[in-house]
Amino acid sequence: MSAKQPTIKEIAKRLNISISTVSRALHDHSSIGLRTKTRVKELAKELKYEPNQAAIFFQQRKTFTIGVILPFLSELFFSSAISGIEDVAVKSQYTVLLGQSRDDANREKHIIETMKKHRVDGIIISISKHTTNYEHFNRLRQSGIPVVFFDCIPNMTDIHYVACNMVSGTVQATSFLLKNGHRVIGLINGPEKLYASKQRQEGYQIAMSKHRLKYDPSLIVNSDLTKEGSRKAVKELLEHKRKVTAIVTFNDYVALDAMQYADAQQVAINKDVCFVSYSNLPMVEYLKYSPMASVEQNPYLQGQKATEMLLELLQKKEEDQTDNSSYKIIIDSHLVEYKQ
Amino acid sequence: MSAKQPTIKEIAKRLNISISTVSRALHDHSSIGLRTKTRVKELAKELKYEPNQAAIFFQQRKTFTIGVILPFLSELFFSSAISGIEDVAVKSQYTVLLGQSRDDANREKHIIETMKKHRVDGIIISISKHTTNYEHFNRLRQSGIPVVFFDCIPNMTDIHYVACNMVSGTVQATSFLLKNGHRVIGLINGPEKLYASKQRQEGYQIAMSKHRLKYDPSLIVNSDLTKEGSRKAVKELLEHKRKVTAIVTFNDYVALDAMQYADAQQVAINKDVCFVSYSNLPMVEYLKYSPMASVEQNPYLQGQKATEMLLELLQKKEEDQTDNSSYKIIIDSHLVEYKQ
DNA sequence: GAATATAATGCAAACGATTGTTTACCGGCA
DNA sequence: TGCCGGTAAACAATCGTTTGCATTATATTC
């Protein structure tokens, strides 16, 4: 049924020439005569010869594969990012080896091991929310496998990354509310440890002080990003002694849960209390309630940039430049207002 | 910085023994003395030796990689499927090489070529809606790369596939509406060519005849699955001379667009006209309107089954069994009613 | 026709590991 | 002493391709 794939050797034997000649002929090497070239190419086509990539990978110590590790594929943010990654990768003949960490540190570690075994040329990763030990990243560095972080970035020095400027995004989001006359604005933030949470808090504070308003820490509450956590958080804000008229949420999923809870409490969404968030959401137009505005994080662009960065690093590595600088790209986010 | 990875050769040289001894020692081969074994293993650990998978892949003519080609990663149906695929694959030490066809036949073809080059061991694919030429699949077969189709399956003989029984699902969906007293039920189907559309139509007819109702072909309209197409389709049904009180839609995305249009026409969703669909949707609970019920297609399970099937085929291939039977798994779908 | 330049090809090592076949050495036994 | 069996290790081929270097034809020139 499945005859063995023909090899360069096979072609050489049939044409009664040497293996190296065949190889060179197929690569249009200048030192091969025209007649031989065409003879080789014709036979190759006839036999449906295809180079054995596995052999080439091995020979070249390169697999043209990049590993991509994401917490969840099913979130639009990540699936958009991976689209961006794939698009850029494909253009440069790279393929994508996929891993889903499900926000589980062990799974993440295991995936990285597997990818290392597979000798991926490089890795793009948004780390799991629960990754606190960075040992495996150090090991990657030791193995000389370039890593580009994006979105969720570890607290390490000398790393390459692409990220979205959440500070300015949050400033915009908060300012938007302030301009609309809100004065008591709550922030449902993510877990305190996350860098992303810190940035949001910073942005919130900046916006407040820009408008010469006192910063009230009790207006910032944390959600563990579960439904229950978000409900608790919004409850706290709704019951706050000062009348909260607007809320910035860590992301759209939090916003949905918060709005759902508020709605159940007879709060008129975006009237009694306005919501502003970060956009991860598909299908906004079909939703029962959506935030008034969201900070766009451009996941597709982030994916593209991360991939371009990685390809550049690979290029540099190939040219054996021992440049120790770390690459950083910070993408600006901007507020998108939704039609209500 | 990145010292070259140590090889088996390196170990051999340092210990002044032969390469093969090292290899066998690391594999706990019985013919290697205990002392040598421990010496080898210790040095291996010390040098942080890791076998070069690229070399092994090449040597064993196997990559432990399966290619997965899907139309869109961002649809929940597919991202769930890929979760199932990944979970099973990981357990058997396989990794997933990803390709997104975006429902584009050329892209699909190109991805397959790349995967063939990468010498994936097998492929799992849900074909693009616009794939009409199956030449590339035949070529895969010739190369001896097993393929498991799922979800969207080509009209070919002797293929392996996992699919969901859409006929019975549609029978259930339609019967559900009939039991609720509806008599004039519309069906917004997908493109006529699709196998999936044919199954839905068949189910619809079966349900009708079971209830001794005449089959009225004018109640079946097609959508090209774009927003505009679905709006046109529902418009036709809403303006049908018989008063359509319920509609079965090809999938949830169609349902959303149809319901949105109907809503804009002052039709009370799931009161004036009831909707039943096929579930591809995340976040049903947050939606403005959702179908009364959906046929669950178990994408995660389909992904798992497809991967198990592929692994079995690979096993068989390895054992060189030339069994020509084709594997088919048909998963039963069932109706899920939503709380309104 | 010999020397020389040039074009065309072949040789062989290398990439890192696996694995079938030999070899070396030892003790035991007739 | 010589043969056998067994254990432990070495040898060598192999997987398919690339590539530096050597070698052989062919053409050019005097």
Side-chain angles (χ1 to χ4, degrees), chain B residues 70-121:
Chain B
L70 302 173
F72 291 101
L73 287 167
S74 39
E75 287 187 16
L76 185 69
F77 179 86
F78 293 117
S79 54
S80 305
I82 211 173
S83 287
I85 292 171
E86 218 222 348
D87 283 350
V88 175
V90 162
K91 269 187 204 141
S92 299
Q93 315 266 42
Y94 279 79
T95 34
V96 171
L97 198 63
L98 188 67
Q100 190 173 204
S101 71
R102 294 165 185 252
D103 263 344
D104 173 333
N106 279 328
R107 232 183 127 95
E108 179 176 289
K109 224 167 108 182
H110 181 254
I111 293 171
I112 289 185
E113 287 308 324
T114 313
M115 292 194 165
K116 215 161 88 185
K117 271 194 194 148
H118 270 253
R119 290 291 202 268
V120 293
D121 294 331

Side-chain angles (χ1 to χ4, degrees), chain A residues 53 117 227 257 286 288, chain B residues 53 117 257 285-286 288:
Chain A
Q53 282 295 328
K117 273 196 193 146
K227 187 182 188 89
D257 289 323
Y286 305 112
K288 197 184 285 175
Chain B
Q53 281 295 328
K117 271 194 194 148
D257 289 322
E285 59 175 320
Y286 306 111
K288 198 183 288 174

Side-chain angles (χ1 to χ4, degrees), chain A residues 135-152:
Chain A
E135 192 43 49
H136 43 305
F137 297 128
N138 282 323
R139 246 179 293 146
L140 276 178
R141 190 179 305 197
Q142 278 163 23
S143 319
I145 300 178
V147 179
V148 171
F149 295 94
F150 87 103
D151 180 48
C152 204

